[in-house]
Amino acid sequence: MKTNGLNIKEAITKGETSLGIEFGSTRIKAVLIDTSFETIASGSYEWENRLEDGFWTYNLVDIITGLQSAYSEMKQEVERNYGITIRTIGSIGFSAMMHGYMAFDKTGELLVPFRTWRNATTSIAAKELTDKLEFNIPERWSIAHLYQAILNGEKHVRRIDFITTLAGYIHWLLTGNKAIGIGDASGMFPIDETTQNYDESMVKQFDALIANKDYPWKLKDILPKVYISGEQAGELTAIGAKILDRSQNLQPGIPFCPPEGDAGTGMVATNSVRKRTGNVSVGTSVFAMIVLEKELSKVYPEIDLVTTPNGSPVAMVHANNCSSDINAWLGLFREFSEAVGQKIETSKLFEVMLNKALEAEPDGGGLLSYGYFSGENITGLEKGRPLFVRFPDSKFNLPNFMRAHLFSAFSALKIGMDILTKNENATIDRILAHGGLFKTPVVGQKILAAAIDAPVSVMATAGEGGAWGISLLASYMINKDYRESLEEFLDEKVFKEVDGQEIYPDRFDVKGFEEFIERYKNGLRIERAAVDHLVSGKLEGLTC
């Protein structure tokens, strides 16, 4: 039931609200909700990662500026619409891109620039840890970054007092508590489902592996404490309140839920935390999360094993690249339209161009695209070179062009999902999708349904994304009934009256995607050649 204006004003005044802030790859978004889970106000801040000294990163100035700007914009919207200054909030939660590496010394100094999930610089460490632990350790994981730094002999490692993720860092900054939600923690180091904590035997194996280095720390000493959804993981300190709210109206003492990764908040935002459910999150990267009912038969480098925010095991297929190349091409088309004097709104541009894909031939007319802005772990590429390739007799038109790029955006994901569904026979009752690509109706759903050969639903709340998901986790912490599970809270309170549109795979689309994926796999040697020889904008080692 939608809350009326008077009730909203009262809720804001009394602090009967929950705030979620998520640090996405291109946008930081703040969402304030009421106890009916309706969005009261929101704010955002656009940002981009940078490639510095060989690492993809965001600097601390941008992190803090983005945090303050998103909160300030949300606060100002409340003041405009309701004439109220926010002084307290019922609960707060932070979420961010999973994985990556933030290492601090005892004084709280960041020892090396934040190394994000996008870096493909830890292949040696990831492979060695996977072999030693007999558990898939992806290149993105925090432990892979730490071990690679050890293998590289980086001097900062000896000074480490604490390592965490971006969400864990923001939470620590504002609460002083070195906490992390179990979902985000599962992207740092393997989790034991029975103890709902870091796997103790693997922790000991890692310590034994580096024992000859004689570091002044053990792994458990430098990892954040794991919390489960529904638990309180700290509260806003006086210093934290001043950092978050530059106007200094916000009062300290507000409870915080555990900081989570964007994978976990995506599961919450799509009500996909029950076993045999799944969701696909689309943005700069794309990942599918399937909540498992049984263990996988063996280790697959293409499949990560993580958890839901309440600790259930999840198979995660994560591809580093998704929408960046499509965005770049549409930016080019925008430039053309403006050059001929026709300005077009972004939403209209996406609607027109994406819908052209529905007019294309099932396989994309023989066209081939690799939207690799960065390395891609699933296909074994440590770096990226965006490519568009065609045969001289390919049917090169706009519909096929758009379909090929949409197929490409989901191709690495498809390779991983095929392993899960065809090799492991994982049962999936429903897939829910969210992300900006699905704001254009039907198109993204049809392409994704063809990729995974399963029905795909998009809820009316799909555009809310992870910021709304973490605000729900913050609300769950303070509004759950006694012993009410996260699944029950979402089913009975949040999503009971939420409508969704389900699209089943079209057999022609499925067949067309299968033809495209074979072309895609065969053409990976082209992408490999580009990575090996296209350096600083020049072709090296190639002759014509």
Side-chain angles (χ1 to χ4, degrees):
M1 181 183 297
K2 196 167 183 68
T3 313
N4 64 45
L6 289 176
N7 288 343
I8 291 176
K9 291 181 72 170
E10 184 178 355
I12 296 169
T13 301
K14 292 183 177 180
E16 296 172 348
T17 55
S18 295
L19 173 66
I21 300 181
E22 180 159 277
F23 288 71
S25 56
T26 60
R27 183 174 64 159
I28 301 168
K29 186 175 182 181
V31 170
L32 185 71
I33 65 172
D34 58 22
T35 52
S36 297
F37 319 110
E38 299 281 352
T39 299
I40 297 171
S42 63
S44 64
Y45 177 81
E46 305 293 325
W47 70 342
E48 285 289 346
N49 54 188
R50 304 170 186 175
L51 187 61
E52 297 180 358
D53 298 325
F55 292 98
W56 290 101
T57 188
Y58 300 86
N59 65 47
L60 289 183
V61 173
D62 286 345
I63 291 171
I64 303 303
T65 299
L67 167 68
Q68 294 174 336
S69 298
Y71 177 86
S72 177
E73 190 174 285
M74 178 278 298
K75 177 176 176 286
Q76 289 169 18
E77 185 175 316
V78 168
E79 291 171 350
R80 282 195 309 271
N81 294 340
Y82 304 103
I84 297 172
T85 296
I86 297 176
R87 300 188 184 280
T88 189
I89 297 169
S91 57
I92 297 177
F94 283 94
S95 174
M97 301 164 279
M98 283 183 71
H99 320 300
Y101 180 71
M102 299 190 80
F104 300 86
D105 67 11
K106 290 182 178 179
T107 69
E109 178 187 351
L110 183 66
L111 294 171
V112 291
F114 170 35
R115 296 172 182 177
T116 77
W117 58 270
R118 197 171 193 176
N119 289 288
T121 56
T122 64
S123 58
I124 296 174
K127 185 180 186 308
E128 188 171 329
L129 287 176
T130 296
D131 293 341
K132 295 284 186 183
L133 302 180
E134 297 182 337
F135 187 98
N136 183 35
I137 304 295
E139 294 177 19
R140 302 178 307 280
W141 280 26
S142 306
I143 194 63
H145 282 279
L146 173 62
Y147 190 51
Q148 190 66 56
I150 291 171
L151 295 179
N152 293 346
E154 296 186 40
K155 293 181 180 179
H156 80 271
V157 175
R158 185 165 296 278
R159 295 173 54 196
I160 290 175
D161 182 67
F162 177 48
I163 65 170
T164 191
T165 63
L166 179 55
Y169 165 65
I170 297 295
H171 184 95
W172 176 42
L173 184 70
L174 300 186
T175 68
N177 193 21
K178 296 175 179 177
I180 195 164
I182 192 168
D184 206 9
S186 68
M188 294 189 75
F189 193 84
I191 294 292
D192 182 341
E193 184 185 0
T194 58
T195 64
Q196 295 196 318
N197 207 333
Y198 304 113
D199 189 292
E200 190 65 36
S201 64
M202 294 188 194
V203 168
K204 291 178 180 177
Q205 284 178 277
F206 182 85
D207 284 336
L209 183 62
I210 64 169
N212 64 329
K213 301 292 184 180
D214 197 29
Y215 291 126
W217 49 261
K218 298 291 186 183
L219 184 59
K220 285 288 288 288
D221 299 334
I222 63 174
L223 289 172
K225 181 181 177 181
V226 177
Y227 288 79
I228 311 299
S229 60
E231 295 180 331
Q232 182 174 327
E235 62 180 37
L236 185 65
T237 63
I239 293 174
K242 291 178 181 179
I243 293 172
L244 180 58
D245 182 9
R246 287 175 294 193
S247 66
Q248 299 188 23
N249 297 125
L250 193 64
Q251 300 302 302
I254 299 169
F256 275 51
C257 73
E260 267 299 348
D262 53 357
T265 57
M267 285 186 277
V268 172
T270 55
N271 193 21
S272 305
V273 298
R274 285 193 181 276
K275 293 183 185 298
R276 296 173 55 151
T277 65
N279 80 94
V280 174
S281 177
V282 174
T284 303
S285 65
V286 57
F287 51 81
M289 311 287 293
I290 310 300
V291 188
L292 299 172
E293 59 179 345
K294 62 179 181 179
E295 293 183 358
L296 301 184
S297 63
K298 63 179 184 178
V299 174
Y300 294 97
E302 300 88 351
I303 299 174
D304 306 359
L305 291 177
V306 291
T307 78
T308 64
N310 57 339
S312 295
V314 173
M316 178 181 187
V317 179
H318 184 288
N320 285 352
N321 300 278
C322 183
S323 64
S324 293
D325 202 31
I326 293 174
N327 293 340
W329 279 107
L330 292 189
L332 189 68
F333 286 115
R334 182 204 302 280
E335 286 187 42
F336 170 75
S337 68
E338 291 176 351
V340 297
Q342 298 292 326
K343 282 202 169 184
I344 184 170
E345 293 292 328
T346 299
S347 58
K348 183 65 175 178
L349 176 67
F350 271 80
E351 179 185 346
V352 170
M353 297 298 288
L354 293 181
N355 272 292
K356 294 301 291 184
L358 300 181
E359 304 170 18
E361 294 174 64
D363 75 330
L367 308 182
L368 180 59
S369 168
Y370 295 97
Y372 287 10
F373 270 56
S374 66
E376 187 54 73
N377 58 297
I378 288 179
T379 52
L381 277 298
E382 71 279 0
K383 294 180 182 178
R385 298 290 186 269
L387 288 178
F388 176 71
V389 185
R390 61 190 174 101
F391 297 102
D393 60 349
S394 295
K395 295 181 180 178
F396 185 40
N397 57 38
L398 190 57
N400 286 339
F401 179 85
M402 290 307 301
R403 192 176 187 88
H405 278 88
L406 284 168
F407 274 176
S408 177
F410 290 116
S411 285
L413 178 78
K414 176 176 173 56
I415 291 170
M417 285 295 291
D418 281 351
I419 293 171
L420 192 61
T421 57
K422 296 176 181 179
N423 294 18
E424 289 290 328
N425 298 312
T427 303
I428 306 171
D429 291 337
R430 63 178 184 181
I431 288 284
L432 295 109
H434 66 112
L437 186 64
F438 302 107
K439 289 182 179 180
T440 299
V442 178
V443 185
Q445 277 179 270
K446 279 182 67 69
I447 299 297
L448 179 57
I452 62 177
D453 196 12
V456 175
S457 295
V458 172
M459 292 182 174
T461 55
E464 298 288 356
W468 186 60
I470 188 64
S471 71
L472 293 179
L473 287 172
S475 181
Y476 171 64
M477 178 184 67
I478 61 171
N479 292 313
K480 67 181 183 299
D481 294 331
Y482 181 65
R483 289 191 176 179
E484 183 179 34
S485 69
L486 180 60
E487 297 97 323
E488 293 167 340
F489 180 81
L490 295 175
D491 282 345
E492 300 301 321
K493 293 181 178 176
V494 180
F495 291 98
K496 195 169 187 178
E497 299 179 6
V498 174
D499 295 325
Q501 180 186 27
E502 188 172 51
I503 289 181
Y504 282 77
D506 179 281
R507 62 187 181 91
F508 293 106
D509 289 339
V510 173
K511 184 174 183 296
F513 209 141
E514 292 295 340
E515 293 175 8
F516 179 88
I517 203 68
E518 287 307 309
R519 187 186 317 140
Y520 182 93
K521 290 177 182 177
N522 291 334
L524 283 169
R525 285 172 290 182
I526 308 170
E527 178 68 18
R528 164 54 65 188
V531 169
D532 290 342
H533 300 288
L534 188 62
V535 180
S536 300
K538 297 179 181 179
L539 286 172
E540 298 186 0
L542 296 182
T543 58
C544 296

